[in-house]
Amino acid sequence: MSRVYDDERLAGAYERDNEMPEASLRAWVELIASYAQRSAPSIVEIGSGTGVFSAAMARWTEGSEVTGVDASEAMLAEVRRHHPHPAVRCLPGEADAVPADAGVLDLALLSASSITSPTARERHGSWSA
């Protein structure tokens, strides 16, 4: 069964709809980065989508290493096409597949995403807000 989220047309539309003025994006990055406990933080974006925030975090958080994780290869293709950055690593996967050894990550970012992890649902049952 294919998922609508894997449709390249959706990924392209998502990229177009995520445009943000540079000053606003930078303000978000500065706010998020202010929570890092050290310089050159290791950051993971869960549900990175087209990589707007992953690339911005890498660009404006000096020395950072950013991992963008998304379940959609179509979304990750948009990252590589529109927001490539040498400090950003893109990984396919869901929230419970985040590569996180103890003490390795400084920040985790989840913005405008829904968590769709079969393993998490099995562990926690139905989630409600």
Side-chain angles (χ1 to χ4, degrees):
M1 175 178 199
S2 70
R3 302 174 309 170
V4 68
Y5 193 64
D6 293 322
D7 190 318
E8 292 176 3
R9 297 170 299 174
L10 177 63
Y14 194 84
E15 171 61 28
R16 289 186 300 278
D17 287 343
N18 270 334
E19 291 182 13
M20 182 183 294
E22 188 166 309
S24 296
L25 186 57
R26 188 168 192 145
W28 276 109
V29 167
E30 289 172 359
L31 173 66
I32 294 164
S34 73
Y35 287 93
Q37 298 294 310
R38 66 183 180 102
S39 61
S42 177
I43 303 165
V44 64
E45 183 179 11
I46 303 165
S48 61
T50 62
V52 171
F53 276 103
S54 291
M57 294 298 294
R59 183 174 30 174
W60 291 317
T61 307
E62 188 174 337
S64 65
E65 293 180 2
V66 181
T67 301
V69 178
D70 202 282
S72 169
E73 279 293 342
M75 291 291 185
L76 295 176
E78 291 294 307
V79 177
R80 293 185 282 274
R81 185 175 12 260
H82 296 288
H83 305 287
H85 191 284
V88 175
R89 175 176 64 145
C90 296
L91 296 176
E94 295 180 342
D96 59 349
V98 171
D101 296 328
V104 173
L105 294 174
D106 297 297
L107 293 171
L109 172 64
L110 175 69
S111 65
S113 295
S114 59
I115 298 175
T116 57
S117 168
T119 305
R121 280 193 301 273
E122 289 169 9
R123 278 191 221 134
H124 305 289
S126 175
W127 293 356
S128 61

